[in-house]
Amino acid sequence: MSMLIRICRRAVASLFPSARAGAALTAALALGASACSVVTGEHEAETKFLVKPTSQSTFSGWSEVSVSQDPNSVDGAELMFIRLEARDDNVPDLTFIKSITAEAVVDGVSTVVAKKSPMPTGERIVPLDREYHGDIRKFFYADEENGGYTVHVDWHGQVDLTKTIPPEGVWMRVLVAIRVE
């Protein structure tokens, strides 16, 4: 009995389009909740987002994913990791991002899921620090508008404007892994 991702909505509250990274997290949460066609074990989801230079040093955005069946139809789902990587080979590391935080939001209550600050020098692939270690199914809420269950993630952070960022921006790859029980 597979859950289907029904809709993915993204909105960016600033010029930094990081909400796509939130889509990776929420897609992974939905994948985990689906038990990946009733297959327990580890599963991954991937997406990308563009970090584009702006005159502001902060960014924020949100993303949502809805699934058709109740996430509680599996025994549990745990976030294993979220990893960022620059897709552009000309980027030596991710230090142009000063900080990043992902928060799952249910009924107006935010829970920090992962964050990172500062980014390590010389590393092109950076795992975020997992802040939430419990069952992620609790972040899904009944969503009558979409006829399913939705998870909402807010993303925010800071960009280091002293670092060189190409005018066209830097594409980031986001990999999220979950464990389904």
Side-chain angles (χ1 to χ4, degrees), residues 29-53:
L29 296 177
L31 176 62
S34 73
C36 198
S37 299
V38 191
V39 175
T40 59
E42 298 175 5
H43 304 279
E44 294 181 351
E46 179 181 330
T47 193
K48 64 182 181 178
F49 67 94
L50 181 64
V51 176
K52 195 166 183 164

Side-chain angles (χ1 to χ4, degrees), residues 125-145:
I125 300 172
V126 177
L128 299 183
D129 299 325
R130 219 171 35 128
E131 297 291 317
Y132 182 80
H133 299 277
D135 193 331
I136 59 176
R137 296 175 303 158
K138 78 177 203 169
F139 298 127
F140 286 86
Y141 58 90
D143 187 351
E144 292 179 21
E145 180 181 326

Side-chain angles (χ1 to χ4, degrees), residues 25-82:
L25 173 62
T26 55
L29 296 177
L31 176 62
S34 73
C36 198
S37 299
V38 191
V39 175
T40 59
E42 298 175 5
H43 304 279
E44 294 181 351
E46 179 181 330
T47 193
K48 64 182 181 178
F49 67 94
L50 181 64
V51 176
K52 195 166 183 164
T54 68
S55 61
Q56 300 176 7
S57 63
T58 63
F59 65 90
S60 64
W62 60 269
S63 57
E64 291 183 340
V65 169
S66 295
V67 295
S68 62
Q69 294 179 336
D70 188 345
N72 292 309
S73 63
V74 298
D75 291 334
E78 175 188 13
L79 178 64
M80 294 173 52
F81 67 79
I82 302 174

Side-chain angles (χ1 to χ4, degrees), residues 4-181:
L4 302 174
I5 297 176
R6 296 187 56 196
I7 185 169
C8 180
R9 296 177 286 180
R10 298 177 192 127
V12 178
S14 76
L15 297 176
F16 185 96
S18 66
R20 292 184 189 168
L25 173 62
T26 55
L29 296 177
L31 176 62
S34 73
C36 198
S37 299
V38 191
V39 175
T40 59
E42 298 175 5
H43 304 279
E44 294 181 351
E46 179 181 330
T47 193
K48 64 182 181 178
F49 67 94
L50 181 64
V51 176
K52 195 166 183 164
T54 68
S55 61
Q56 300 176 7
S57 63
T58 63
F59 65 90
S60 64
W62 60 269
S63 57
E64 291 183 340
V65 169
S66 295
V67 295
S68 62
Q69 294 179 336
D70 188 345
N72 292 309
S73 63
V74 298
D75 291 334
E78 175 188 13
L79 178 64
M80 294 173 52
F81 67 79
I82 302 174
R83 186 175 73 204
L84 299 179
E85 175 182 359
R87 293 179 52 132
D88 183 345
D89 291 334
N90 296 326
V91 176
D93 59 26
L94 304 184
T95 57
F96 61 92
I97 299 173
K98 283 179 146 179
S99 67
I100 189 166
T101 301
E103 296 179 333
V105 181
V106 180
D107 293 329
V109 177
S110 297
T111 302
V112 175
V113 176
K115 62 183 177 179
K116 187 71 171 186
S117 178
M119 296 292 185
T121 302
E123 297 293 328
R124 292 181 32 79
I125 300 172
V126 177
L128 299 183
D129 299 325
R130 219 171 35 128
E131 297 291 317
Y132 182 80
H133 299 277
D135 193 331
I136 59 176
R137 296 175 303 158
K138 78 177 203 169
F139 298 127
F140 286 86
Y141 58 90
D143 187 351
E144 292 179 21
E145 180 181 326
N146 294 311
Y149 297 83
T150 298
V151 62
H152 177 98
V153 176
D154 285 339
W155 289 84
H156 57 90
Q158 292 186 319
V159 177
D160 185 347
L161 297 177
T162 66
K163 302 291 183 179
T164 302
I165 302 173
E168 66 277 6
V170 176
W171 282 101
M172 301 298 298
R173 175 179 180 238
V174 180
L175 185 65
V176 179
I178 53 92
R179 180 179 299 121
V180 176
E181 301 168 354

